[in-house]
């Protein structure tokens, strides 16, 4: 059954045809007019007709309510307000499989605050029925249920208990008159027909629900027990796995996976249905209260029935893993504020309440540094050699592991080679390795499967086999310039362009020279490729020459070193790698050629695995200012490429998306690198940076050593916990100043980030401490291991002889060292235990509306956003907005302006006072209050710096302030704006005002008359949530309906608006239609509420894009087109994909993007990305319609994506 919020209910019957394919029948209607549905579940009814339970409410018809008198629809008047009494019902709908008809079988009245259902196992596994969650209570209801046993006899014969209902435990500091709403319930089945349920309240408390069954009849419920399990973040659902895991998809903040440590809650706060029934029967305070529904409707009575508790850290659950979730993202800022990175960071404000965070997002995969060691000099290259001995091969077969572990790490210097043995530890080796250590190594590899090793040095090729070394020397005075080797082939290039090919004889095990050829140009890079599974050799080699060409030569017998294809390069090749990647749709492997150029860019092109032809449309990407070094690595058991320039990058195919992903690593620049595999590190990277050797692991989703999944996953984040819900942030360039001087040293400026936080219906930090609330929820454990150890030592102390004193001292020193090591380990374990047991806890709920908790935080983005200062507001004052302002009268010093409200309530929206507070940042690390200015006309929701003054949006008024000694001085104002000023931006003499309901207003400041003049407004009412200025006449806005629009001021509107006197008639200036209207350039429906946007570039030196965040934590971008050809291409591609791309929901893409207004001048990039997910035949069909090849379309999509990231 699928239920709409109002009226409609549809039942679908699923079957299977003869081939086993699921089929769905036409829907059966179970509509009911004037009915609002809260929840629907399917009941466990065994093999009988399916039954669905629906929690619904039927509201009254307006005509009958007005014309029907005191009695409406058979319902009695409410005694208090004279309105008809409304009842919420639980209804059973039965599907008769014989008649193929749905009927309303049974209904009963439930608690007025009921909001969620959970089906109880029925048939042979349980009693059936449903659990209903509401405010303060959980109730069990079933069609065939009987009255619970009466433990207390009532003096009133008319008073009978018919409900099985139980109060939920409540927090000690929770107000008695405020209810606690149960938001979700789930039932988990165990073995032997056992089951239990978990319910969560709006505060995050999780309860275990156990039904007491009749011993003689397991299908009859006699009572209910509700026990407190733990306090978790509020979630949308509770998902219990059979392995004893609890997954909590959080409403806001990270999703969490927990492990059950125990489920038998013997000492937990517990309430029973027998207690509620006894309280109902014993209550004689009001003889009129005989109905159970009225008795259980009071929150004060529920607080007396329920047991109380104080939330603590996790007692019965243990946190295992957190899945990042940015919802809700309320603001965004992009910039390189860390001070030592190449690409800018994305700063977002996320979360709500105690789970609020400031997140720093970096484009690139996260890297774990596993080991760092110093080297005797600056290396020129690093290599790894696999363990190809017979013993290692046998171990791999026994463990069913196809990967070969690395045996050696070879580090090459300018005049020496360092060989490191890989085992439990990495140790340096000498001559026993067989390597020539007094010369640099140009290439090395394991040869064959009998322990052979090949080393290429400038003077020749060295083959090490079974402890003996064989040497091939260069002819004459020539030297080897570059080389490459794999497990059976070696190729070298001598000075002058001569290429020599060696191949391993599988019979004799010797490395033999097979062919020599002069390519006609100096060779600067080589790669012999990898040997595919099932083959004995690589079929092609790549030769990069100094004449800026790349050549593919054949290594097939009889065609050795024959040139198959060549390609001209835009710069000299620095390194090259030929790699085989899995083909799309499970086809044959594809050969990918990756070339690193001297100009800091990389080229990626396909190579035909049969003919060796290089594709005509290679993909180019700029990576950094240094020449690009290319090497092959393994990630997620698949091939990938490591590219090293000014920043390390990883390139790998995304088989699911049909694209190739190139993403940076969030790590310091590396000089050289290659793949590394061992028993402890399955997929790692060994690299050099300066004079250090490093072993790294690339993190992926799930926290494992799995690398870059897709372009969307190629971000890693760090978070800083906040105290309240973040509202807004701004950047200040603060400098150190002496005493009260207003002058700031421009050479000693420090960038700091100011964040304003506030929570409605919450107490301040000081009030919480006075009430005894502990936000950390740490429970002290009696005793410590240190004291126990000390006590043991005291018990074991005894007198010793003088001859044994020296030995005893040595023993004591050893014991001290061991104790110190044990204490360090215990501290680490305690920290891990604290982290696993920590849980965010919401503070006490205020008894009356208008309470706020708020603070202003100053963080240092250059120091991982550590908190410099945090100033609590107090007195029910909430900071809602902030801005950096530089008053001319203060000599240009950056001050922090904060807009606050006191005692504000949401419904109705009003406040007791509003202020604009000015702070000064002292020495770039703490806030100093300058003065507070009280303002009228409404709450302060927006601030902006404007021509050396402060422009403030106060309710429906826009006001300009100047700096004063004791408070701000009002200069001019503009009254009569539509509703509330929500957003503000300024440029030149213009202010761009975003209204809460009536879209944008363009305002100009007339300095000669000292007044603010309305220049233009928008004819379309848009509830503005954020805005970003694109140029002096154009602004992009987002509204609360999920739309993004670009508005522009018409030409000449500014000049016409200023002249409001003289020849213009007075009546003309007062007409509403006389104000010029903004033009809508672009319109696009995102589908989520856009909460923040900014104009920035995510790539150093790249073009700016419009980057936005939404309430669900999504980060998106609108990329401007640079040419008309791009517009035509993407418009045609979008038109083709509207009909050819798969649509799981069946919704027309263009209709969705035009949900509120027709889409205008925006191409659906998400739809265009689906081109790579189509089959090859569908891609070819679309390419023919566009008069392009499939490769050209894929390259165009990659170029557009690379321009953004």
């Amino acid at each position: 059954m699928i239920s709409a919020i109002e009226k409609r209910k549809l039942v679908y019957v699923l079957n299977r045809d003869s081939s086993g394919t699921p089929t769905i029948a036409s829907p059966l209607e179970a509509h009911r007019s004037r009915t609002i549905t809260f929840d629907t579940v399917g009941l466990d009814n065994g093999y009988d007709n399916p039954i669905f339970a629906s929690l619904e409410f039927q509201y009254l018809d307006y005509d009958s309510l007005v014309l029907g008198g005191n009695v409406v629809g058979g319902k009695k008047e409410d005694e208090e307000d004279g309105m008809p009494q409304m009842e919420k019902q639980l209804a059973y709908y039965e599907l008769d499989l014989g008649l193929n008809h749905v009927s309303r079988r049974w209904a009963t009245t439930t608690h007025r605050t009921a909001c969620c259902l959970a089906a109880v196992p029925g048939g042979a596994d349980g009693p059936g029925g449903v659990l209903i969650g509401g405010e303060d209570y959980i109730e069990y209801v079933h069609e065939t249920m009987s009255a619970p046993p009466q433990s207390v006899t009532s003096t009133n014969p008319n008073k009978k208990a018919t409900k099985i209902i139980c109060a939920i435990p409540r927090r000690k500091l929770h107000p008695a008159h405020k209810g606690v709403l149960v938001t979700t319930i789930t039932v988990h089945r165990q073995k032997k027909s056992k089951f239990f349920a978990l319910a969560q309240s709006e505060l995050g408390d999780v309860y275990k629900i156990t039904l007491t069954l009749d011993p003689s009849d397991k299908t009859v419920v006699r009572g209910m027990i509700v026990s407190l399990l733990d306090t978790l973040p509020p979630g949308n659902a509770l998902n219990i796995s059979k392995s004893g895991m609890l997954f909590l998809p959080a409403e806001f903040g990270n999703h969490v996976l927990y492990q059950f440590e125990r489920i038998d809650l013997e000492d937990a706060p517990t309430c029973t249905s027998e207690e509620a029934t006894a309280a109902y029967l014993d209550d004689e305070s009001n003889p009129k209260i005989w109905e159970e529904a009225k008795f259980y409707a009071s929150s004060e009575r529920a607080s007396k029935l329920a047991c109380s508790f104080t939330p603590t850290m996790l007692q019965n659950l243990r946190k295992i893993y957190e899945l990042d979730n940015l919802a809700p993202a309320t603001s965004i800022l992009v910039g390189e504020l860390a001070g030592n990175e190449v690409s800018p960071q994305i700063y977002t404000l996320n979360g709500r309440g105690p789970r609020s965070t400031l997140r720093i997002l970096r484009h690139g995969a996260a890297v774990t540094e596993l080991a760092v060691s110093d080297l005797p000099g600056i290396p020129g290259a690093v290599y790894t050699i696999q363990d190809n001995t017979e013993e290692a091969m046998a171990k791999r077969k026994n463990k069913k592991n196809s990967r070969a572990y690395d045996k050696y790490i070879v580090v090459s210097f300018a005049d020496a080679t360092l060989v490191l043995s890989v085992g439990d530890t990495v140790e340096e080796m000498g001559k026993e390795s067989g390597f020539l250590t007094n010369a640099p190594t140009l290439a090395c590899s394991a040869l064959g499967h009998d322990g052979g090793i090949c080393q290429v040095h400038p003077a020749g090729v060295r083959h090490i086999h079974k402890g003996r070394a064989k040497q091939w020397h260069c002819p004459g005075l020539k030297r080897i310039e570059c080389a490459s080797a794999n497990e059976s082939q070696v190729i070298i290039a001598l000075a002058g362009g001569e290429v020599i090919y060696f191949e391993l004889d599988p019979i004799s095990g010797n490395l033999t020279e097979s062919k020599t050829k002069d390519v006609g140009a100096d060779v600067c890079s080589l790669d012999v490729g990898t040997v595919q599974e099932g083959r004995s050799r690589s079929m092609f080699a790549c030769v990069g020459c100094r004449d800026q060409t790349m050549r593919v030569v054949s290594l097939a017998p009889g065609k050795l070193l024959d040139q198959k294809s060549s390609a001209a390069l835009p710069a000299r090749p620095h390194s090259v790698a030929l790699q085989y990647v899995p083909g799309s749709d499970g086809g044959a492997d594809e050969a990918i050629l990756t070339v690193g150029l001297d100009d800091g860019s990389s080229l990626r092109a396909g190579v035909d695995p049969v003919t060796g032809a290089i594709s005509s449309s290679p993909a180019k990407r700029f990576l950094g200012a240094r020449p690009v070094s290319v090497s092959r690595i393994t990630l997620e058991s698949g091939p990938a490429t490591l590219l090293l320039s000014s920043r390390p990058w990883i390139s790998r195919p995304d088989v699911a998306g049909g694209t190739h992903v190139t993403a940076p690593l969030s790590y310091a620049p590396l000089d050289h690198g290659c793949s590394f595999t061992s028993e402890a590190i399955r997929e790692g990277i060994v690299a050099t940076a300066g004079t250090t050797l490093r072993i790294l692991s690339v993190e992926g989703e799930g926290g494992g050593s799995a690398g870059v999944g897709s372009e969307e996953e190629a971000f890693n984040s760090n978070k800083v916990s906040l105290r309240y819900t973040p509202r807004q942030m701004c950047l200040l360039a603060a400098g150190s100043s002496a005493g009260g001087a207003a002058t700031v040293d421009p050479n000693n400026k420090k960038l700091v980030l100011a964040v304003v936080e506030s929570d409605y219906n919450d107490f301040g930090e000081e009030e919480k401490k006075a009430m005894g609330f502990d936000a950390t929820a740490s429970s002290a454990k009696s005793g410590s291991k240190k004291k126990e150890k000390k006590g043991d030592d005291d018990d074991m102390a005894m007198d010793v002889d003088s001859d044994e004193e020296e030995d005893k001292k040595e023993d004591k020193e050893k014991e001290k060292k061991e104790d110190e090591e044990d204490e360090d380990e215990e501290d680490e374990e305690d920290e891990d235990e604290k982290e696993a047991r920590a849980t965010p806890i919401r503070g006490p709920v205020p008894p009356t509306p208008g309470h706020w908790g708020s603070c202003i935080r100053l963080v240092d983005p250059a120091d991982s956003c550590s908190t410099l200062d945090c100033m609590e507001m107090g007195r029910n004052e909430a900071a809602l907005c902030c801005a950096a302002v530089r008053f001319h009268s203060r000599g240009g010093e950056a001050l922090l302006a904060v807009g606050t409200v006191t005692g504000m309530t949401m419904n109705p929206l009003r406040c007791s006072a509003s202020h604009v507070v000015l702070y000064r940042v002292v020495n770039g690390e703490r806030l100093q209050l300058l003065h507070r200015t009280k303002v009228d006309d409404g709450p302060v929701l927006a601030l902006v710096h404007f021509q050396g003054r402060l422009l403030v949006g106060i309710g429906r008024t826009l006001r300009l302030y100047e700096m004063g000694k004791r408070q701000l001085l009002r200069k001019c104002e503009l009254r009569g704006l539509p509703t509330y000023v929500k957003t503000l931006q300024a440029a030149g003499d213009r202010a761009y005002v975003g209204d809460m309901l009536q879209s944008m207003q363009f305002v100009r400041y007339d300095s000669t008359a000292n007044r603010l003049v309305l220049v233009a407004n928008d004819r379309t009412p848009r509830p503005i949530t954020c805005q970003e200025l694109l140029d002096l006449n154009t602004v992009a806005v987002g509204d609360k309906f999920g739309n993004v629009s670009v508005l522009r001021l018409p030409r000449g509107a500014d000049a016409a608006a200023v002249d409001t006197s003289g020849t213009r008639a007075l009546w003309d200036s007062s007409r509403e239609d006389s104000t010029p209207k903004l033009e809508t350039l672009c319109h696009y429906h995102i589908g989520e509420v856009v909460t923040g946007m900014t104009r920035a570039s995510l790539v150093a030196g790249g073009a700016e894009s419009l980057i936005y965040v939404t309430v669900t934590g999504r980060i998106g971008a609108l990329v401007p087109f640079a040419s008309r050809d791009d517009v035509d291409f993407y418009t045609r591609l979008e038109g083709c994909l509207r009909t050819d791309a798969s649509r799981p929901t069946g919704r027309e893409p263009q209709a969705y993007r035009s949900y509120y207004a027709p889409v205008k001048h925006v191409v659906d990039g998400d739809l265009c990305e689906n081109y790579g997910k189509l089959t090859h035949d569908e891609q070819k069909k679309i390419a023919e319609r566009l008069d392009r090849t499939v490769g050209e379309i894929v390259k165009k999509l990659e170029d557009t994506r690379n321009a953004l990231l």
Side-chain angles (χ1 to χ4, degrees), residues 1085 1134-1155 1159 1164 1167:
H1085 180 65
E1134 182 189 23
C1136 296
L1137 289 173
R1138 283 174 183 167
T1139 57
D1140 295 347
S1142 60
R1143 289 179 285 174
T1145 61
R1147 176 175 285 178
E1148 172 65 31
Q1150 188 176 13
Y1152 175 70
R1153 298 303 181 186
S1154 307
Y1155 200 91
V1159 63
D1164 191 349
L1167 181 63

Side-chain angles (χ1 to χ4, degrees), residues 714-888:
F715 280 87
N716 69 93
S717 66
N718 299 323
K719 63 180 181 179
V720 178
S721 297
L722 304 178
R723 188 176 296 173
Y724 306 104
T725 302
R727 301 292 174 175
Q728 201 173 359
M729 62 179 170
C730 67
L731 193 65
L732 291 91
S736 61
S737 57
T743 58
V744 179
D745 184 7
N747 299 322
N748 193 18
K749 289 185 178 180
K750 179 181 180 181
L751 292 177
V752 293
L753 202 60
V755 182
V756 292
E757 312 167 29
S758 58
D759 267 329
Y760 184 54
N761 268 349
D762 200 359
F763 289 108
E765 192 72 10
E766 296 180 358
E767 294 175 287
K768 291 179 182 177
K769 290 181 180 179
M771 299 170 66
F773 174 73
D774 183 12
T776 60
S778 58
S779 60
K781 297 183 179 180
S782 61
S784 65
K785 297 180 179 179
K786 296 180 183 179
K787 292 184 178 180
E788 291 175 2
K789 286 190 174 183
K790 190 173 182 181
D792 295 340
D793 294 340
D794 294 340
D795 294 339
M796 296 297 294
M798 65 182 199
D799 295 334
V800 294
D801 296 333
S802 59
D803 296 337
E804 300 176 0
E805 286 182 357
E806 295 181 359
D807 297 336
K808 198 66 178 177
K809 287 181 180 179
E810 294 178 358
D811 294 339
K812 285 184 177 181
E813 290 178 358
K814 291 181 180 179
E815 290 177 1
K816 283 183 180 180
K817 291 182 180 179
E818 292 176 357
D819 291 343
E820 290 176 358
E821 293 176 358
D822 293 340
E823 287 175 5
D824 293 339
E825 293 178 0
E826 289 168 7
D827 291 340
E828 292 178 0
E829 291 177 0
D830 291 343
E831 290 179 0
D832 295 340
E833 184 70 14
K834 279 184 178 181
E835 186 177 355
R837 299 285 183 184
T839 182
I841 298 177
R842 191 205 189 283
V845 178
T848 57
H851 286 266
W852 288 81
S854 180
C855 69
I856 304 172
R857 188 181 302 268
L858 209 61
V859 299
D860 184 6
D863 187 19
S864 302
C865 282
S866 60
T867 300
L868 299 173
D869 190 15
C870 185
M871 182 174 292
E872 190 74 18
M873 300 299 292
R875 297 176 301 177
N876 288 340
E877 187 176 16
L880 300 181
C881 57
C882 63
V885 58
R886 295 177 179 271
F887 290 100
H888 291 168

Side-chain angles (χ1 to χ4, degrees), residues 50 102 277 315 341 400 422 429 456 494 579 664 752 868 907 942 944 949 958 961 986 1005 1157 1166 1172 1176:
V102 181
T277 302
Q315 302 292 331
E341 299 181 13
K400 297 181 180 181
V422 179
M429 297 190 65
V456 181
L494 305 180
Q579 195 167 31
V752 293
L868 299 173
N907 189 19
V944 71
R949 297 175 179 178
L958 189 64
Y961 283 98
Y1005 175 64
D1166 292 336
H1176 182 72

